[in-house]
Amino acid sequence: MLNRVILVGRLTKDPELRYTPSGVAVANFTLAVNRTFSNQQGEREADFINCVVWRKPAENVANYLKKGSLAGVDGRIQTRSYDNNEGRRVFITEVVAESVQFLEPRGASQGQGNAYAGGGAPTGGNDYSRQNQQPDRQSGGFNDDPFANDGKPIDISDDDLPF
Amino acid sequence: MLNRVILVGRLTKDPELRYTPSGVAVANFTLAVNRTFSNQQGEREADFINCVVWRKPAENVANYLKKGSLAGVDGRIQTRSYDNNEGRRVFITEVVAESVQFLEPRGASQGQGNAYAGGGAPTGGNDYSRQNQQPDRQSGGFNDDPFANDGKPIDISDDDLPF
Amino acid sequence: MLNRVILVGRLTKDPELRYTPSGVAVANFTLAVNRTFSNQQGEREADFINCVVWRKPAENVANYLKKGSLAGVDGRIQTRSYDNNEGRRVFITEVVAESVQFLEPRGASQGQGNAYAGGGAPTGGNDYSRQNQQPDRQSGGFNDDPFANDGKPIDISDDDLPF
Amino acid sequence: MLNRVILVGRLTKDPELRYTPSGVAVANFTLAVNRTFSNQQGEREADFINCVVWRKPAENVANYLKKGSLAGVDGRIQTRSYDNNEGRRVFITEVVAESVQFLEPRGASQGQGNAYAGGGAPTGGNDYSRQNQQPDRQSGGFNDDPFANDGKPIDISDDDLPF
DNA sequence: TTTT
DNA sequence: TTTT
């Protein structure tokens, strides 16, 4: 059973980094991928694709990507469901990134490299001087959004980990 | 901006074939793609991925695939939203299949071939004797499901067509 | 830097399984992937794509696939070069399979499952009764072919291993 | 039969643009795709992958990409063979790009956009002011290389066109 | 024959 | 050197 997704697009917002109760890092972000064709009004639309990444690359994503960053994702489609606070079953389709590539060019602030789901920080002698950290990322407030983050460890059991 | 998805899995149900008011064929189906790893309970889960295919290959899909068929999809992820009957905005993430490959083996009932979004029936001398048509496919009844089909032409304007 | 290949096709011959001097399994096979379009003579041609797979999945490939088997490959393109016995530099472009999927259907002899480059035998309760082993696979004789196998451990240093 | 390749890498040289006798544009280029893992010497190697693109996107590639440009390719693997001038059969494995994406960032000289094999120039209001044309690209001289270009229309029959 |  |  093959399940492979490759995306190149731009982050719609800063990534959200959270930790499971047992301390595993998870980052969520959305990629805007411009379509290569125009609709009947002659406009180029975009797809907004939710992505998740786990562990070390989650932290790299949080450190090196921000709103507007160009990034590549190699991963797979995951579907899951949960019951929302109205007792309604919500179905989610998202991309689990196995690796994330930083495509901001040489001159840009981000540096360039790879976040690999297999673990380990980006290699290759790049100087990731962490100038892009977003220290303050809680979204706060009441929220129906399954991607929302209230600053506390999220209620994801390690059973949800895909490995 | 790259956006590419490749899937191999099995149809969870017979595909649903419909036509836009202007006569363009659309088929919807869901692929169950078994994961290649086990969860913490040692079970192999699956992802259930909604797919859409347009025009001639939609008709091929309806004719040659059915519940349980093994199929390959080459396409892209599409996101869209609509307001449901409670006035709530619903976000959809699905795969638009550009080509669908029929992977049922030689001995199986389906035949084997390719449905290409570019148009044209499967080629290659296969004898598609259409023994697998599902003539009666309306799901009927009240339904919140955006993929549901009441037998009438669906309310998709040609503006929704991605070409 | 993204590098991803997905193929579904049929083995042109039985796979060749060999071992490095330090005992790491490697299998080579060629996939015939029929094109989905016809040439100007109206014929459907095929691409013949050389694939390599390492370690446990190499052994799975050798055990469960044979000439004509339908298989899926998820991997990456690798290029390398070597000097042949005439002192000429030869450039090779091949696919390193990270996972190989066995697509022979339920009724077929092979069973069905996944060979994962990450290691581990196919899971999922399939009964791989190994009726398809090819115990005797040496190709023998003088040979210019880098994929040839004379039955002895091949002269691949572990330095060639991509991990 | 699935055959899909996605690459992101840098051009090793300026692309070579040629025309078939009947006037169809073809561009050849090589992408250096850095590997995401290190070898046993701790070095990051690269794969050098030959790509071909036809018609209008071939001209876009020639106009907007040059040595060092970051580009994405979505295409398929093609194998072919020809007899070289020593009467020896040479086998080629290369990537036929169906679309090429220009990933040089906003600030860079290239502009950004998409070259689509389906035809048509990059859309989206980008100002491609063509400041990057390479007017003088013949490689000249005697050459065994099937990618070489002597400035004359190349001897590719339209029969080689994959459509 | 290789790119940053 | 090619598979169904």
Side-chain angles (χ1 to χ4, degrees), chain A residues 99 114 116 123, chain C residues 1-2 76, chain D residues 34-38 44-45:
Chain A
S99 79
N114 258 290
Y116 245 79
T123 54
Chain C
M1 303 297 188
L2 289 166
R76 58 186 183 80
Chain D
N34 295 318
R35 295 185 186 164
T36 51
F37 50 89
S38 305
R44 298 276 287 294
E45 295 175 80

Side-chain angles (χ1 to χ4, degrees), chain A residues 50-117:
Chain A
N50 292 323
C51 300
V52 208
V53 58
W54 290 90
R55 300 183 189 273
K56 190 59 191 167
E59 297 180 324
N60 292 332
V61 157
N63 285 334
Y64 306 128
L65 296 179
K66 59 175 196 289
K67 182 177 174 170
S69 300
L70 188 68
V73 160
D74 186 344
R76 57 186 182 81
I77 295 181
Q78 175 176 80
T79 60
R80 58 188 174 85
S81 62
Y82 68 96
D83 294 307
N84 71 5
N85 44 15
E86 302 164 47
R88 215 197 274 254
R89 190 134 215 96
V90 179
F91 291 89
I92 300 284
T93 298
E94 67 204 344
V95 169
V96 179
E98 290 167 7
S99 79
V100 179
Q101 186 192 15
F102 309 147
L103 293 170
E104 286 308 325
R106 340 168 219 226
S109 51
Q110 263 82 248
Q112 184 177 346
N114 258 290
Y116 245 79

Side-chain angles (χ1 to χ4, degrees), chain A residues 1-2 4 6-8 72-74 99 101 112 114, chain C residues 1-2 4 6-8 72-74 99 101 112 114:
Chain A
M1 301 297 188
L2 289 166
R4 183 56 58 182
I6 297 99
L7 303 171
V8 172
V73 160
D74 186 344
S99 79
Q101 186 192 15
Q112 184 177 346
N114 258 290
Chain C
M1 303 297 188
L2 289 166
R4 181 59 55 183
I6 297 99
L7 304 172
V8 171
V73 159
D74 185 345
S99 78
Q101 187 193 12
Q112 184 177 347
N114 258 290

Side-chain angles (χ1 to χ4, degrees), chain B residues 50-70:
Chain B
N50 293 323
C51 300
V52 208
V53 58
W54 291 89
R55 298 183 190 273
K56 188 60 190 166
E59 298 181 324
N60 293 331
V61 157
N63 286 333
Y64 307 130
L65 295 179
K66 57 175 197 288
K67 180 176 176 172
S69 300
L70 188 68

Side-chain angles (χ1 to χ4, degrees), chain D residues 52-69:
Chain D
V52 207
V53 58
W54 290 89
R55 300 183 186 272
K56 189 60 191 166
E59 296 180 326
N60 292 333
V61 157
N63 285 335
Y64 306 129
L65 295 179
K66 59 175 198 285
K67 181 175 177 174
S69 300

Side-chain angles (χ1 to χ4, degrees), chain D residues 89-110:
Chain D
R89 189 134 216 95
V90 179
F91 292 89
I92 300 285
T93 297
E94 67 203 342
V95 170
V96 179
E98 289 166 8
S99 78
V100 178
Q101 186 193 14
F102 309 148
L103 293 169
E104 284 309 325
R106 332 163 227 230
S109 52
Q110 263 82 248

